[in-house]
Structure formats: structure tokens, C-alpha cells
Amino acid sequence: MNDLPVPHLVTGVRRETADTVSITLAPAGAEALEPFAPGQFAMVYAFGVGEIPVSVSRIGRRELVHTVRAVGAVSAALCALRPGARVGLRGPFGTGWELERARGRDVVVVAGGIGLAPLRPLVLAALDTRRAHGRLNLLIGARTREDLPYADQVRAWAHSHGALHCGATVDRPSPGWWGHVGLVTTLLNEARFVPENSTAYVCGPEVMIRATARDLLHRGVRADRIRVSLERNMRCATGHCGHCQLGGVLLCRDGPVIGWDRAASLLDVREL
Amino acid sequence: MTKNPAAGVLDRDGLSALVEVLIARGRTVIGPTVRDGAIVLAEITSADDLPFGWGTQVEAGRYRLVPRTDGAVFAHTAGPQSWKTFLHPPRERLWSAERAQDGTLSVTGDDSGQPSYAFLGVRPCDLRAITIQDRVLAGGRYPDQGYRERRTGAFLVAAECTEPGATCFCVSMGGGPAADSGFDLALTEVLDGAGHRFLVRSGSEAGQEILADLPHRPADAATRDAARVAVDEARDRMGRAMPPVDLRTLMGESLEADRWDDVAARCLTCGNCTMVCPTCFCTTTEEVTDLTGDHAERWQRWDSCFDVDFSHLHGGPVRASSRSRYRQWLTHKLSTWYEQFGSSGCVGCGRCVTWCPVGIDITEEARALHDERAGRLRHEQRKETEQ
Ligand code: SF4
Ligand code: SF4
């Protein structure tokens, strides 16, 4: 259903960082949404407050997890929900990461802060289909250790030395920090990938996306194989409200995930 | 279009009968009326409500009603509204939500039923604007159901244009004063020694059927000729023109032009141009709750890319400057609309020029951008030959 929000029950709430919460949602009645693909988003409706786009951060059989940062009235209301509360969901909307594009190639996933949220289902899917592609890298940057979502899982990944090469870095280290210090792009030096035969997936603040994509491009990753997820204001998610325009791109319909070949020139223009 | 469009000639009584027949068939008839010193589209109950004997004088930032001695009814140019007021209303309820005592949430859509409209006097530029909004609102993956219902239920009576205004430039946008398709009936007003009459053509089965119900006489050669001449002459009397260049490329190559600063210094970012534009479709949403707090409604209303909150993202606007907001509007109309919806977003109706309080003229801005780009190219060529 894409017109009307489908009621969902909050079955779990988990605080990720000081201003970020993951909520687990299950259909409250018989009606359920179509399955989501990693990278897609839902419009989440907080009764009496409003509706915002939130990408899916875990895709379960019946349940979906959305990770929300409290930056406005609706997101603050969603972050304050307790188990048993109800929200409305519309979706799935938008383009996904499309892991199939990495078939037979090394995979480089680069996340900035809460940008890890939409990338988590991609990483989990890649771990599930390990044989379909080459080496798998997950590089995460955050301002501080306290700004790193899914900290336990990230730490476990970083210390597993298994199928996944995972590195994490912060701008400002705090006592007990186990990872690197510096920009996320410095982690590319240790990542295990052949640039000419890699597909990259990048999400985070726009400055971080720009720096990462340029670095990857410089190393030899093809522009159309650098997939970035962009964000703009969105009211409808169905291509009618005009708010998510970025030049000729309607991000709710043509995005949020687009190739760097298309994104580069758009992000070059100030205030586009 | 039907294979054998029927044609005929209506006199003033025939026009009255048209309104009566449409109302008798349960339609809400909307047409031009005189109100508050302007031609305003409103519900009419008889042909007497139409603006007989009124014309308009327009210029950039200026609009005046002027009486006419010939009694013409369709001799006015585009007013401050367009048909989108009815097809894509300024405010619309999207859904209602209830929260029960046990916390359960239920959401219901608005199925109050859509009016069955007949639009009388749709200009060819506005016919095009309607097909453009059709692609935006009903043509994508998620059609707007309310729009679709109102649109498919609407009966369109076009009025070919015989009196273009000083701000009109439909011809340079690939349109024109003639109505070729997309209507149920098309009228062409003829005023000559043989009297005040309307050549009427059907463009659909529904139109043919209505025409059969109207007192009319067969279309004679003299009326056909007079109608053709009036429309042909209108084509040559457009008040303005877009520069004859590929506007898509022009906009794409002008994103960093200095002209945006020039227009930004004049633009009040009032958003009038977006409100009057027949293709502008942007909306925002509002949540409305009642006093109990257990009933909420989601409303959609028109929004404007000139509003600073339009691009709000995490605590601030993406387009903070008026420069970037005017650029967004113009590049969307003339260029990025193609990528998004497969056509230009401008039909050359001239409304944005007429209703801009400071008289900013879209054709003049496009020309200035063109001149600036030409200057830039000349400069680059000179530099190249010098090297
Ligand atoms: S941009 Fe101006 S001239 Fe073009 S369709 Fe809109 S209002 Fe009419
Ligand atoms: S161009 Fe004119 S009508 Fe449009 S926002 Fe600026 S001042 Fe208002």
C-alpha cells in the first residue's frame, strides 16, 4: 500500500546513540507491506505529528527495523516511542543498493555515522551471499565512539577477521576506543579490493560522500559502480510533491540510491 | 480524437443550451466569470455568468479588465487561476486517522467522491498544461487517485484563442492558439457581419453526444473560414517569445550564471508565479489534530519552491538564497522537467509574467541567460585562438 499508512506495532526499541533509536515494527493487523530491499525507505507516520522518510536498517521476515535520529518533531516523536505503540508505514519506496551489481566483484561499503543504518541490511545480505562476489569490506567513520550506531555489532565485525574486513575510525577518540582515528577515507588504504573490479556503496553526510566517492574514483573504481544514497526533504514519496528534486533527479523515485556518474555533477552545484 | 469529428455552429442561445445540458447531466460547470476585477474561474449556472463584453489588458506585473464593445465572451487572456484549482485543489485531505483507547491505530482514505466537472473555455495552452499535469500526477508508478478520478470524469470544452495577450508566448513553446486534441468540444468565437457565433467541433464521443443535444446549424464555409483566420491571426500576434534556442541545454549550462544574482535582487520570493502557473504541482503536507488528540487528519496543500522551508533538511534549507530558489524554479520549468516527466514544464501562458508583483518576465530571463552564455562562449573562443 502506498497511499495510506498501514498500522504497525512497535515490538522493540533500542537506543543506538544519544539522539538515535532503532525501532522494530511488525504489522498490527492482517495487512502488510511488500518486501523491502536494502537501501529502500518507508514513510513512517507518527500519529498526530506527521510523516518522514526513513530507510530500513534491518529486514526481517515479518519485522522491519528503522533507525531514526531525532532532528525534528516527527523524528523526535518516533524516538520517544515505547514497545506497544503504533505507527503507520507506507512503502517500500525508491531504488535499493542493488547488491546484484557487485556480482563477481569486490564490495566496498563505506558509512559515515548513522549512514550505516541503510547499509546494514546490504552488509547482512552480502554476508549471506558470500560466494556471489569477491572480498567484502565495511569501512565506518563517526565523529566519536558515542556517535557510532550498532556499536556491539560493529565491534564484533571488526574483530572477526572472517569473510568481512571491517574497519572503524573516529574524528575524536575517547578512552577505550579500539579503532582508528581520522577520516573514513584513510581506511581505504587497508581495505582489500581491486578498484577496477569493485562496486562501492556509500552513505553518510554529503561532504563525506563527496570525499569518499572522489577517493574511490581516484583509485580506479568506475563512477557508475560507486552507489551513493542521497537525502532531501520529502513529503509524499510518490513523485508528486516536488520536494526531493536534485536537478533532474526525483530522489524518492530515481533515488535515494544513484550512481556517482549521475550524482557527481549534481553535488558540485551549491544550493541545487 | 474521434474519427469523424462533428462540427456545427452555435449562436448565443446554443451556448446557453450547452451550459444547461451539461448541468442537466449532473456536471458542475466551471467557466470564466468576472469577479474582483479579474476573470475568475468559478461555477456557473447559466451562460449569462460568462464574461460577455469583457477583455483584458496585461503586461508584466499588470492586469486590467477592459470593457469591449463587440460583446465577445472568450476575448480575455489567462486570469490568476488555472484549471489546476479544480483538478489539483489547493487543499485536499489525504487521510483521517483514529487512535482507539487501547492504542490501536486505524487510517481511512478520503472516499467522499469526486465532482463531475465540465470546464468551459479551456485555452489551448491550458489544455496542454492539463496533459502535463496528467503525466506528473497520474502518469507515474503511483497515480494520485483523487486527481485521476477528477480528471477522467471531467468534460473539457476548449475555446480557441483569438485574442492573445501581451504576456502570451505559447507559439514559441511549441503550442499555439488552435486546439487540436485533448478536448471533448472546441469552440471558436466568430464575430463579424454575419453575427456573434461559435464554430463548434467535437473531439470525443462524449462531445459528439452533447453536440447532438444542442440547437445548432451545420458548419458553413464562411464561419469555418472566419474561425480559421481569427486563430491564424492570433498566432502572429503573440505578445512575447522565448529565445529560439534549446532551453534545456541553455539551463543546464547556466547553473552558475551571474544573471541569477540579477534576478534575485528583484525577486521577492513571494511564490505568486508558482501559484498561478497551470503546471506547477508541488505540495506539502500538514497534520491536523482535534482537541481529544485521538483523531488526526493529513492534509495536502500547494507549496512553492520559493518558500524557504521547501528544501528544509536537518535544521536548515538547502536553497537558502533567492538566487538558488529562482534558479530552481526556472530550470525546473524549462529543463529538468524533461528528465522528470518527459516534456517542458512551461506552456507559455504568460501568467507568471502577468502576476509577478515586480514584473519578472520568464522570457526576458531566458534571453538574458542566453546572452550571457553566448558572451561566455565568445570569450572562451577568443582565448583559444589566442593560445
Ligand atoms: S512558467 Fe509561466 S508561462 Fe510557463 S506555464 Fe507556468 S505560468 Fe505559464
Ligand atoms: S518571480 Fe515574481 S512572482 Fe515569482 S517569486 Fe519572484 S517576485 Fe514572486
Side-chain angles (χ1 to χ4, degrees):
Chain A
M1 178 60 92
N2 306 97
D3 287 358
L4 296 182
V6 174
H8 277 67
L9 182 68
V10 178
T11 58
V13 172
R14 194 191 131 101
R15 181 154 291 279
E16 302 291 355
T17 73
D19 60 0
T20 306
V21 169
S22 288
I23 50 176
T24 307
L25 303 172
E31 197 183 353
L33 299 178
E34 298 283 302
F36 280 67
Q40 288 191 304
F41 69 94
M43 292 301 280
V44 188
Y45 172 55
F47 175 84
V49 191
E51 205 186 24
I52 51 165
V54 188
S55 55
V56 60
S57 64
R58 189 190 275 277
I59 303 165
R61 206 182 271 222
R62 244 178 76 77
E63 294 182 326
L64 292 170
V65 177
H66 285 93
T67 303
V68 185
R69 188 153 71 98
V71 286
V74 182
S75 51
L78 293 174
C79 284
L81 291 175
R82 304 265 57 102
R86 309 300 207 280
V87 298
L89 275 193
R90 294 190 293 133
F93 293 115
T95 53
W97 292 111
E98 297 172 3
L99 182 60
E100 58 278 12
R101 288 172 183 258
R103 192 164 282 275
R105 279 194 273 273
D106 295 335
V107 180
V108 186
V109 179
V110 190
I114 193 181
L116 180 55
L119 287 165
R120 184 170 65 166
L122 174 81
V123 173
L124 294 172
L127 284 169
D128 278 350
T129 55
R130 216 165 302 173
R131 261 180 215 111
H133 23 77
R135 287 161 296 185
L136 184 58
N137 300 272
L138 171 61
L139 314 174
I140 308 162
R143 269 180 308 163
T144 68
R145 177 191 183 181
E146 288 68 37
D147 295 306
L148 191 68
Y150 323 127
D152 298 345
Q153 177 151 52
V154 170
R155 188 171 183 158
W157 277 336
H159 291 89
S160 70
H161 305 293
L164 175 69
H165 166 85
C166 174
T169 180
V170 295
D171 297 343
R172 278 176 284 123
S174 47
W177 170 242
W178 45 267
H180 299 249
V181 177
L183 293 178
V184 72
T185 43
T186 59
L187 298 180
L188 286 169
N189 295 327
E190 287 179 16
R192 300 170 302 178
F193 67 108
V194 179
E196 294 71 23
N197 190 38
S198 294
T199 302
Y201 300 95
V202 186
C203 186
E206 243 170 68
V207 276
M208 170 268 173
I209 290 180
R210 224 178 271 137
T212 307
R214 286 187 186 143
D215 195 317
L216 287 165
L217 201 62
H218 188 73
R219 287 170 196 258
V221 183
R222 253 171 52 178
D224 61 329
R225 290 188 192 150
I226 304 172
R227 309 267 296 154
V228 304
S229 183
L230 300 177
E231 208 180 353
R232 281 294 178 271
N233 187 340
M234 253 176 224
R235 312 304 299 188
C236 73
T238 52
H240 303 147
C241 79
H243 282 256
C244 68
Q245 291 178 68
L246 180 63
V249 173
L250 282 176
L251 277 177
C252 74
R253 180 189 77 180
D254 311 325
V257 180
I258 61 174
W260 187 246
D261 49 332
R262 199 154 180 213
S265 62
L266 299 173
L267 294 190
D268 261 357
V269 184
R270 274 194 61 220
E271 293 191 294
L272 191 63
Chain B
M1 281 258 267
T2 48
K3 289 206 185 72
N4 297 308
V9 177
L10 296 179
D11 58 14
R12 198 183 148 151
D13 289 342
L15 189 65
S16 299
L18 172 60
V19 177
E20 282 157 23
V21 166
L22 290 169
I23 291 174
R25 298 205 174 196
R27 293 188 177 273
T28 303
V29 182
I30 311 290
T33 65
V34 174
R35 197 178 283 182
D36 304 328
I39 299 291
V40 172
L41 300 176
E43 181 169 357
I44 60 171
T45 53
S46 111
D48 295 340
D49 297 337
L50 296 170
F52 284 96
W54 286 102
T56 45
Q57 243 171 28
V58 295
E59 239 322 313
R62 201 188 127 88
Y63 179 97
R64 292 287 178 277
L65 271 186
V66 286
R68 296 174 63 99
T69 50
D70 61 3
V73 67
F74 294 124
H76 50 85
T77 50
Q81 304 149 300
S82 65
W83 307 95
K84 82 172 178 185
T85 305
F86 303 94
L87 292 175
H88 179 46
R91 264 175 74 76
E92 193 177 9
R93 186 167 55 206
L94 298 175
W95 70 70
S96 309
E98 311 286 340
R99 186 168 54 188
Q101 245 164 11
D102 62 355
T104 27
L105 179 69
S106 57
V107 182
T108 41
D110 209 10
D111 48 7
S112 43
Q114 301 296 344
S116 158
Y117 284 125
F119 295 159
L120 178 57
V122 185
R123 298 294 183 192
C125 56
D126 283 349
L127 278 179
R128 265 181 106 196
I130 291 172
T131 63
I132 289 175
Q133 281 214 330
D134 285 350
R135 278 196 291 274
V136 175
L137 297 172
R141 179 155 174 214
Y142 309 110
D144 174 334
Q145 296 303 344
Y147 178 89
R148 191 142 85 171
E149 267 178 55
R150 288 185 293 273
R151 175 65 177 98
T152 48
F155 185 91
L156 304 190
V157 184
E160 291 197 303
C161 190
T162 51
E163 283 284 337
T167 57
C168 289
F169 58 98
C170 64
V171 171
S172 62
M173 292 311 293
D180 303 319
S181 61
F183 53 79
D184 295 295
L185 287 176
L187 305 174
T188 317
E189 187 166 30
V190 176
L191 281 148
D192 58 16
H196 189 183
R197 60 203 190 279
F198 306 88
L199 177 70
V200 53
R201 293 173 291 138
S202 70
S204 71
E205 306 238 329
Q208 219 157 345
E209 202 190 304
I210 295 281
L211 179 55
D213 267 9
L214 302 178
H216 67 279
R217 49 192 171 82
D220 56 293
T223 305
R224 281 185 193 273
D225 285 351
R228 207 193 46 240
V229 169
V231 173
D232 281 350
E233 283 178 2
R235 187 171 290 117
D236 299 332
R237 293 206 323 262
M238 289 293 138
R240 279 169 162 75
M242 269 291 176
V245 298
D246 179 353
L247 296 167
R248 263 183 98 170
T249 335
L250 172 61
M251 292 299 135
E253 291 173 0
S254 298
L255 292 176
E256 307 286 6
D258 293 335
R259 181 69 184 185
W260 304 120
D261 289 325
D262 183 286
V263 67
R266 288 171 282 136
C267 174
L268 313 173
T269 64
C270 66
N272 269 14
C273 46
T274 57
M275 298 292 117
V276 297
C277 178
T279 67
C280 273
F281 58 84
C282 290
T283 52
T284 187
T285 41
E286 282 168 355
E287 187 79 0
V288 182
T289 43
D290 71 357
L291 285 177
T292 67
D294 291 326
H295 174 81
E297 293 185 350
R298 194 90 182 134
W299 285 79
Q300 169 181 285
R301 65 168 173 82
W302 287 356
D303 200 1
S304 171
C305 54
F306 282 96
D307 193 301
V308 74
D309 285 335
F310 187 87
S311 62
H312 182 96
L313 189 68
H314 307 320
V318 172
R319 296 181 207 106
S321 67
S322 359
R323 170 191 159 95
S324 67
R325 281 179 268 154
Y326 188 86
R327 179 181 66 190
Q328 165 63 26
W329 187 67
L330 198 67
T331 54
H332 189 213
K333 293 273 103 167
L334 301 181
S335 166
T336 51
W337 204 294
Y338 283 96
E339 274 170 85
Q340 295 169 3
F341 305 110
S343 76
S344 171
C346 174
V347 297
C349 74
R351 283 184 180 89
C352 58
V353 184
T354 305
W355 297 96
C356 172
V358 292
I360 292 171
D361 174 349
I362 184 172
T363 64
E364 188 186 322
E365 294 313 313
R367 193 162 298 111
L369 288 167
H370 170 59
D371 291 346
E372 184 178 337
R373 181 182 60 167
R376 220 162 41 228
L377 291 176
R378 271 197 305 278
H379 183 73
E380 277 162 24
Q381 269 165 6
R382 229 186 350 256
K383 271 212 325 230
E384 255 171 48
T385 43
E386 274 166 18
Q387 273 165 9

